[in-house]
Amino acid sequence: LKAIEEDVDMDSMTDLFMTLGAVAAVSNGTTRIVNIANQRVKECNRIEAMVLELKKCGVECKELETGIEVTGNPQLRQRKTPENPVYID
C-alpha cells in the first residue's frame, strides 16, 4: 500500500478524512490531507482526535493548519491487537 504523494484536498468530502487517515496509517510513505479545517468544530476537534489516536497506535502524524499529515507504519498491518486496547463497559 503506497501513500499519496500529493496533497489530498478533501474540501468537498471532509467527513471521509478519518477513513483516508486510517488507510494512510498503514501505508508506505507520508500522506497530507488538507482543507478539512471544518472538522475542528464538529462534536469534537476531529483532527486533533485523529492525531491523538493514531499516535497511540504508533503512527507518526501531526496536525496541519487545515489538515493532517500521516506517515504510514506498514508494520501495523501485521498487528493482531492494539498494544493498549480500549474497552467500553
Side-chain angles (χ1 to χ4, degrees):
L1 193 58
K2 185 178 173 186
I4 301 170
E5 295 177 4
E6 298 177 13
D7 285 0
V8 181
D9 184 343
M10 296 195 76
D11 182 54
S12 65
M13 53 187 159
T14 60
D15 286 340
L16 294 176
F17 97 90
M18 289 182 282
T19 302
L20 179 57
V23 173
V26 296
S27 68
N28 293 312
T30 300
T31 300
R32 290 172 48 95
I33 303 168
V34 298
N35 290 328
I36 57 168
N38 70 320
Q39 295 297 304
R40 294 187 187 281
V41 293
K42 298 290 184 172
E43 63 279 350
C44 68
N45 181 337
R46 291 181 181 178
I47 298 170
E48 178 182 65
M50 189 71 171
V51 168
L52 178 69
E53 298 305 316
L54 287 176
K55 284 183 176 182
K56 287 180 184 178
C57 294
V59 176
E60 182 182 327
C61 55
K62 65 180 179 180
E63 288 186 60
L64 305 173
E65 185 176 336
T66 67
I68 184 172
E69 181 178 282
V70 180
T71 300
N73 181 348
Q75 294 178 344
L76 291 176
R77 287 183 260 167
Q78 308 303 318
R79 188 173 287 171
K80 301 287 188 229
T81 59
E83 289 179 12
N84 300 308
V86 176
Y87 297 100
I88 300 173
D89 292 329

